[in-house]
Amino acid sequence: MLVQLAESDSQILGCFPVISQLRPHLQQADFVEQVRYQMKEGYKLAFLQKEEQTLAVAGFRISNCLALGKFLYIDDLVVDELKQSQGYGKQLFQWLIEYAQNHQCQHLSLDSGVQRFQAHRFYLMQRMSITSHHFSMEL
């Protein structure tokens, strides 16, 4: 199993069946164009494949802010619902940590919906801390 960064349109599109499990509002017809647009702003899409099957996907970006310095922010992290609890999420998460360290990031962070209890257990098992509340409003 190998974690790769999606670079070609076919690799990006190959991530859609898994990422759409986390983001069901996405449309396959618009997915590559949306990811390409976000890539112009620093977004990267990593995926873990086994025997040509995408098992886990992470969308992330590296940024800087006054509060954290340089950090890797995970926008999307999902394991295929039929392949969960087999270590694929842990492997992809470890890859993200190493990627952040190799790019001199001081922090790795993400937001998670309050209803995603299984994901929260996973993040806590990966030694993440709950460090803030995220507030938002639709405009």
Side-chain angles (χ1 to χ4, degrees), residues 82-101:
L82 301 175
K83 302 293 184 179
Q84 291 179 356
S85 299
Q86 297 181 33
Y88 302 125
K90 184 175 182 176
Q91 184 176 346
L92 183 54
F93 192 81
Q94 185 60 44
W95 184 92
L96 290 163
I97 291 170
E98 292 170 12
Y99 188 95
Q101 291 170 331

Side-chain angles (χ1 to χ4, degrees), residues 3 18-23 43-48 55-60 72-80 84 88-97 108-112 116 118-120 122-123 126 128:
V3 176
V18 176
I19 207 163
S20 66
Q21 294 172 24
L22 177 65
R23 310 282 184 226
Y43 182 81
K44 298 190 181 309
L45 195 59
F47 63 98
L48 185 146
L55 304 173
V57 177
F60 67 97
L72 186 145
Y73 181 81
I74 302 171
D75 294 275
D76 316 288
L77 179 60
V78 60
V79 175
D80 185 308
Q84 291 179 356
Y88 302 125
K90 184 175 182 176
Q91 184 176 346
L92 183 54
F93 192 81
Q94 185 60 44
W95 184 92
L96 290 163
I97 291 170
L108 180 141
S109 63
L110 57 82
D111 289 323
S112 181
R116 298 192 66 230
Q118 185 177 352
H120 302 162
F122 173 79
Y123 301 140
Q126 303 311 307
M128 293 192 86

Side-chain angles (χ1 to χ4, degrees), residues 1-131:
M1 289 176 291
L2 178 67
V3 176
Q4 304 174 63
L5 288 175
E7 296 175 352
S8 70
D9 287 355
S10 64
Q11 288 175 320
I12 294 169
L13 193 56
C15 294
F16 181 79
V18 176
I19 207 163
S20 66
Q21 294 172 24
L22 177 65
R23 310 282 184 226
H25 64 280
L26 296 175
Q27 299 296 313
Q28 185 171 350
D30 304 322
F31 184 65
V32 172
E33 181 181 355
Q34 178 65 35
V35 169
R36 288 283 182 207
Y37 177 80
Q38 289 179 212
M39 284 178 161
K40 292 177 186 175
E41 298 177 340
Y43 182 81
K44 298 190 181 309
L45 195 59
F47 63 98
L48 185 146
Q49 248 185 1
K50 180 179 179 183
E51 299 171 359
E52 305 287 320
Q53 181 183 11
T54 300
L55 304 173
V57 177
F60 67 97
R61 62 189 77 237
I62 291 179
S63 191
N64 284 278
C65 70
L66 295 176
L68 299 175
K70 190 173 184 181
F71 65 97
L72 186 145
Y73 181 81
I74 302 171
D75 294 275
D76 316 288
L77 179 60
V78 60
V79 175
D80 185 308
E81 58 194 9
L82 301 175
K83 302 293 184 179
Q84 291 179 356
S85 299
Q86 297 181 33
Y88 302 125
K90 184 175 182 176
Q91 184 176 346
L92 183 54
F93 192 81
Q94 185 60 44
W95 184 92
L96 290 163
I97 291 170
E98 292 170 12
Y99 188 95
Q101 291 170 331
N102 290 337
H103 289 82
Q104 294 74 48
C105 295
Q106 287 86 37
H107 293 272
L108 180 141
S109 63
L110 57 82
D111 289 323
S112 181
V114 295
Q115 78 286 2
R116 298 192 66 230
F117 302 113
Q118 185 177 352
H120 302 162
R121 281 192 297 274
F122 173 79
Y123 301 140
L124 292 170
M125 287 182 0
Q126 303 311 307
R127 298 177 301 143
M128 293 192 86
S129 300
I130 300 171
T131 58

